[in-house]
Amino acid sequence: MLNRILFLFILFLSLSVMAGCQTTSGGGTTGYSMFYSPGDHVAELLAQEKYQEADGVYGKEQEWFGANKQDPDTAAQLETLSRALEAEYGPDLRAATAAVQSIQWPAGTGQWAEAKTAMANLDQAVSKADAVNLFKSPQFGFAALDQAGQILKDKRAQIVQSAPTAFVAYPLGAESSFFDVYPVSLDGKAFLSAEKDAWTAKIGKADGPALLQAQGNYGGLLPDDMEQALAETYFKALCPDATKAGLGEIMTAYAKAGQAGMKLAAVPGVEIAFLEVTSDTLRKKGAIEFPVAVNLDLPFKAEAGDAKKGFGSATVRNADIVVVFNLAGTRTHRKVDTSNYVESSYIAGYRQVPNPEWDVMQVELQQANTEILVTSSSMESTDTDDPWKNLGNAIDNWGKESKVAEAKDNIEKIKEKIRTTPRYIDEPVYNPYQFQRVEMEVIKTGSVQYYIIDQRNKTYYTDYFDVSSKEFFTVAYLLQKSDPKLDEHMKTNVTEAYIDDFEKEPITVNLSDLLNHYSANSVKSKKFASLDVIRQDVIKNRNVAVAAVKKEEYGFDKRDDRRFESVVVVTAAGSLGTGFYVTDDVVLTNYHVVEEQKFIELKKYDKVETFGKVLAKDVRLDLALIKVQDRGQPVRFYKGKKVKIGDTVEAIGHPHGQEFTLTRGVISTVREHTAITRVQGKPVLFIQTDAPVNPGNSGGPLFLGDLVVGVNDWVVSKDIAEGLNFSIHYSEVFKFLEDNNIAYVKGE
């Protein structure tokens, strides 16, 4: 043990000595020692006339030189170095100083270049000399350097002070910027901001070419308001009075300003209004599937007119130029190229499994307990006859006791972790599934009629333009939200909602394109006396567009069968049924459609939505009457006493929400049956038919030709039998209507 301590002590001393020989006390360049100092290094470099390198050593080892400044040899070396450096930098410094002292200021622009060179030379000479480390020492300061720096500072201040006056005199249209030729450097942005009045006066007196040159010289330095003033002044130089100028002249001036890099915030004196006059009929027919928007890429003061007021809008009346849009039709089309299914998985649920982290901690706890047991059992006796052995055993036991204490601390930490760690964890259960991936191209096309109305000179121009857009998408359908790879799938796919949004997004046209097209065709403009002329033209073209859409429509003539006009959709408490007018303001339906509701919503064949109030009801017959706000076409009832089995009958209703659907069958028989509402009493007379009747047909008419012979009421479940459908016989309906004083109509 003693030998070990002695060895470590000797090793420590050796390392300490080695460290002391590697670096200087100042922490400078390695390699200096008690046998080779920075002073020795400088002496070598002086002998080799490497004065700048010697100055570099001084700069790095200033702490050493400061500690040894009383040493005669060191002081002599630095004095020698100082004289050598003054001899090297002095001549250039004095010559440059003299050149600056000779500058007579203020001076004309013809002397600026010479003054600029002299100032630059002195600045360079001062910078070089100022970089010398030894000159920064108070003991070895260079008087010529101090003098040159002060002269440079004073002359620069003099020249800077007269810069505003010089700027006013400097030609705005000069080829070179004022800041490029002025003898001293100036902060161009700050200078121009401070000289705003001078700038405004200069551009106010300049012609177009000078303003154009000013943009090239100073455009990037001007604050926003001064840049805007330059752009407006240049625009006015090209177009002196925009309020009277033609749109072509305005557009040309704006284009030239833009080509020069000028950003015109607003064309002075010209206001534009936008108005869309697209037919509501086209919208309702679905012929307008997306809007068309205007990108205001021109600096006109623009405002949208009130679409409801149209040409009567105050915005439109007060505008100088009105841009009118009349969408003739916009369509979207999906072209599906390929479709395939992609294998993936989703989280269907969770199951509990043993927590591996909990098991690991149990093993760690067991290992810690084992370590305590083994270490404790290996303790050596310290009560022997040999004191040195007792000392050695005590030292060994001290280490073992430390291990035991550490193990016990570890056990407590593990126990704490176990208390906060669940024994079981939820493990996701994955189920395989497929989602569909469809590659499609979405094409958007449209045709827009537009008007450019110049109210200043009472002219207008109209034309059509086509818009189109085409995008390719990969769309994912049936994606599960719990798919762990959902984010990865969505990096290469989009959803149906994304496609819907894309299809509804407007296609944007630039205002500049419209106005440029107008300018190029302004000779085709027409005169108008009032906006009514244009309004009539718009209406005529809208009617043409509507007629064109109707011509392309596939479907049926809704006026061909007038029976549909008597039928309505009945909505009560979320359920949907059918009803029909028995007078011009009373609708008949089933009781089980309205039940105990007081107010009922209805919709007619022409899509008009209305409402009514329940007027009367008969639960046994399953009939109800509704007084309706909007009038309709009443039906006529069959008046004969007999019907013929096998005659064709037709039901009109809304099966499963499919509004105004006609189904056909025959009269199967006429029979009595217990009321569907289970109310006791006389049985109800029904017409049995195989005409398809489904939920949503309840309360609707059963027609024999043009005459009503029944009210569709109930069916035998199709799981039991097909074609067993029952309508309340017209004779039962007559009794109900007469009991409630309803003047219905019978027909042949």
Side-chain angles (χ1 to χ4, degrees):
M1 177 65 69
L2 189 59
N3 291 337
R4 183 185 299 173
I5 294 173
L6 182 60
F7 169 75
L8 292 174
F9 179 71
I10 295 172
L11 179 61
F12 173 75
L13 288 178
S14 300
L15 292 173
S16 298
V17 172
M18 291 173 64
C21 293
Q22 287 177 349
T23 61
T24 69
S25 60
T29 306
T30 59
Y32 300 129
S33 67
M34 65 181 68
F35 305 109
Y36 184 72
S37 69
D40 298 328
H41 194 182
V42 168
E44 287 182 0
L45 294 172
L46 287 173
Q48 298 170 16
E49 297 184 356
K50 296 180 178 179
Y51 305 124
Q52 291 186 17
E53 291 184 34
D55 181 65
V57 173
Y58 171 80
K60 293 178 181 178
E61 302 296 335
Q62 288 189 50
E63 186 176 345
W64 186 91
F65 284 102
N68 292 274
K69 62 182 179 180
Q70 301 300 327
D71 179 64
D73 292 337
T74 302
Q77 290 169 356
L78 294 180
E79 185 64 37
T80 302
L81 177 59
S82 176
R83 290 195 300 271
L85 291 171
E86 288 182 4
E88 182 173 344
Y89 289 97
D92 290 343
L93 196 61
R94 293 185 180 90
T97 301
V100 168
Q101 286 178 311
S102 66
I103 296 174
Q104 298 297 318
W105 198 262
T109 54
Q111 286 76 48
W112 286 7
E114 183 180 350
K116 187 179 183 72
T117 300
M119 294 291 289
N121 289 341
L122 182 55
D123 185 66
Q124 183 179 18
V126 168
S127 297
K128 286 182 178 180
D130 201 45
V132 175
N133 295 300
L134 194 59
F135 289 162
K136 297 174 184 176
S137 168
Q139 184 179 356
F140 299 103
F142 189 17
L145 174 60
D146 296 338
Q147 181 187 15
Q150 188 61 47
I151 290 172
L152 180 64
K153 179 181 178 181
D154 293 343
K155 185 60 69 176
R156 179 180 285 121
Q158 182 186 12
I159 297 175
V160 167
Q161 187 177 11
S162 65
T165 303
F167 177 70
V168 170
Y170 190 75
L172 186 67
E175 185 176 349
S176 298
S177 162
F178 172 77
F179 303 111
D180 289 339
V181 299
Y182 202 60
V184 297
S185 296
L186 299 170
D187 184 336
K189 290 185 177 181
F191 181 87
L192 290 172
S193 295
E195 299 301 321
K196 182 177 180 179
D197 292 342
W199 172 262
T200 302
K202 287 172 75 70
I203 63 174
K205 299 175 183 177
D207 57 12
L211 294 168
L212 193 62
Q213 185 65 45
Q215 170 64 23
N217 288 340
Y218 309 104
L221 302 173
L222 292 169
D224 291 343
D225 58 338
M226 294 172 67
E227 185 178 21
Q228 190 57 221
L230 175 61
E232 290 181 5
T233 305
Y234 182 63
F235 178 84
K236 289 179 180 178
L238 300 173
C239 181
D241 189 356
T243 60
K244 297 179 180 179
L247 194 55
E249 184 182 353
I250 294 174
M251 294 299 296
T252 299
Y254 173 77
K256 288 184 177 180
Q259 291 167 2
M262 299 183 189
K263 299 175 183 178
L264 197 64
V267 173
V270 179
E271 295 186 12
I272 289 185
F274 294 94
L275 182 66
E276 185 178 334
V277 293
T278 303
S279 166
D280 287 337
T281 302
L282 289 180
R283 297 185 191 279
K284 292 177 181 178
K285 287 180 173 291
I288 307 300
E289 296 184 1
F290 62 87
V292 175
V294 179
N295 175 34
L296 298 177
D297 60 337
L298 293 176
F300 290 103
K301 181 181 178 182
E303 188 175 353
D306 189 330
K308 293 182 179 180
K309 295 182 179 179
F311 287 96
S313 166
T315 301
V316 172
R317 292 198 311 269
N318 297 330
D320 299 299
I321 296 170
V322 182
V323 180
V324 179
F325 278 110
N326 180 25
L327 275 61
T330 59
R331 295 287 189 181
T332 61
H333 172 65
R334 298 185 183 187
K335 181 180 178 183
V336 178
D337 295 327
T338 59
S339 175
N340 55 64
Y341 288 87
V342 179
E343 300 286 343
S344 191
S345 62
Y346 70 97
I347 299 175
Y350 293 87
R351 63 186 176 194
Q352 284 204 325
V353 297
N355 186 351
E357 186 178 347
W358 192 88
D359 293 336
V360 169
M361 285 188 288
Q362 291 293 326
V363 172
E364 291 176 349
L365 183 61
Q366 185 177 358
Q367 289 174 343
N369 283 319
T370 301
E371 184 176 2
I372 291 174
L373 182 62
V374 171
T375 305
S376 297
S377 63
S378 66
M379 293 286 191
E380 299 290 344
S381 174
T382 58
D383 191 21
T384 68
D385 294 334
D386 187 349
W388 288 105
K389 184 177 181 180
N390 291 341
L391 178 61
N393 289 345
I395 294 173
D396 288 341
N397 288 346
W398 176 73
K400 292 176 181 179
E401 288 171 354
S402 297
K403 288 181 66 177
V404 169
E406 185 178 346
K408 288 181 178 179
D409 289 342
N410 193 29
I411 286 174
E412 292 304 317
K413 293 178 181 177
I414 294 172
K415 286 181 178 179
E416 181 61 30
K417 286 185 179 179
I418 290 175
R419 281 193 290 269
T420 58
T421 302
R423 187 168 185 175
Y424 296 95
I425 58 175
D426 290 334
E427 180 181 75
V429 178
Y430 296 97
N431 280 357
Y433 84 105
Q434 292 180 327
F435 69 86
Q436 187 180 15
R437 186 168 61 189
V438 177
E439 294 181 355
M440 68 171 65
E441 192 174 47
V442 180
I443 303 166
K444 300 169 68 172
T445 57
S447 179
V448 183
Q449 183 189 22
Y450 74 98
Y451 294 79
I452 304 293
I453 306 169
D454 192 336
Q455 298 197 102
R456 300 170 306 170
N457 53 28
K458 295 292 183 180
T459 62
Y460 78 97
Y461 171 79
T462 183
D463 200 353
Y464 285 84
F465 67 87
D466 294 328
V467 294
S468 64
S469 174
K470 184 188 296 184
E471 293 286 345
F472 181 83
F473 299 98
T474 303
V475 191
Y477 294 98
L478 307 176
L479 264 177
Q480 293 287 337
K481 291 183 178 179
S482 62
D483 189 327
K485 295 183 179 179
L486 183 63
D487 291 341
E488 182 179 337
H489 295 323
M490 293 312 300
K491 289 180 181 178
T492 55
N493 302 283
V494 298
T495 63
E496 173 65 23
Y498 186 91
I499 300 296
D500 288 342
D501 290 342
F502 172 77
E503 289 177 332
K504 295 173 184 176
E505 287 177 357
I507 288 183
T508 302
V509 296
N510 290 327
L511 176 61
S512 60
D513 293 337
L514 295 178
L515 297 186
N516 283 330
H517 186 260
Y518 164 72
S519 298
N521 295 274
S522 57
V523 294
K524 300 178 183 178
S525 296
K526 300 177 182 178
K527 285 283 186 180
F528 68 90
S530 71
L531 288 176
D532 286 339
V533 174
I534 302 173
R535 183 187 292 110
Q536 292 171 11
D537 190 62
V538 168
I539 294 173
K540 181 187 73 174
N541 285 296
R542 287 200 317 194
N543 290 334
V544 170
V546 171
V549 170
K550 287 183 177 180
K551 186 177 180 181
E552 296 298 322
E553 281 183 342
Y554 291 91
F556 62 94
D557 186 354
K558 292 185 176 180
R559 303 288 294 178
D560 187 52
D561 190 339
R562 303 298 296 271
R563 295 178 300 175
F564 281 89
E565 297 176 18
S566 301
V567 181
V568 297
V569 179
V570 180
T571 305
S575 65
L576 182 143
T578 306
F580 57 95
Y581 280 94
V582 291
T583 71
D584 61 358
D585 62 350
V586 176
V587 164
L588 178 67
T589 186
N590 286 139
Y591 165 77
H592 78 259
V593 172
V594 299
E595 293 188 334
E596 296 304 313
Q597 297 293 315
K598 184 177 291 186
F599 295 98
I600 309 298
E601 296 180 4
L602 304 100
K603 182 166 67 173
K604 298 169 64 178
Y605 188 50
D606 59 5
K607 306 297 183 182
V608 172
E609 295 181 355
T610 183
F611 67 93
K613 183 179 181 180
V614 175
L615 184 67
K617 56 197 174 204
D618 188 316
V619 180
R620 183 183 68 86
L621 290 176
D622 195 22
L623 292 174
L625 292 171
I626 304 170
K627 183 76 169 179
V628 185
Q629 183 187 38
D630 283 55
R631 296 181 180 275
Q633 177 68 39
V635 300
R636 294 183 302 147
F637 286 93
Y638 182 74
K639 71 176 183 177
K641 298 293 184 180
K642 306 289 185 182
V643 292
K644 184 177 180 181
I645 304 300
D647 273 359
T648 298
V649 288
E650 295 168 321
I652 297 178
H654 322 295
H656 297 292
Q658 303 302 310
E659 296 179 358
F660 299 99
T661 298
L662 183 146
T663 55
R664 179 176 292 141
V666 299
I667 297 176
S668 302
T669 190
V670 177
R671 70 172 78 247
E672 290 183 334
H673 195 281
T674 307
I676 186 178
T677 56
R678 306 298 183 191
V679 175
Q680 298 297 317
K682 292 176 62 177
V684 179
L685 189 63
F686 290 95
I687 290 179
Q688 180 182 322
T689 178
D690 66 349
V693 174
N694 292 278
N697 277 108
S698 296
L702 184 70
F703 282 101
L704 175 63
D706 291 336
L707 306 177
V708 174
V709 294
V711 178
N712 299 318
D713 193 28
W714 61 280
V715 303
V716 174
S717 172
K718 293 176 174 54
D719 294 334
I720 299 174
E722 290 280 353
L724 296 179
N725 308 307
F726 295 86
S727 297
I728 302 168
H729 194 275
Y730 59 94
S731 63
E732 300 279 18
V733 176
F734 290 166
K735 295 174 188 176
F736 175 66
L737 295 177
E738 289 166 2
D739 287 345
N740 290 284
N741 299 315
I742 301 300
Y744 59 93
V745 178
K746 296 180 181 179
E748 295 293 337

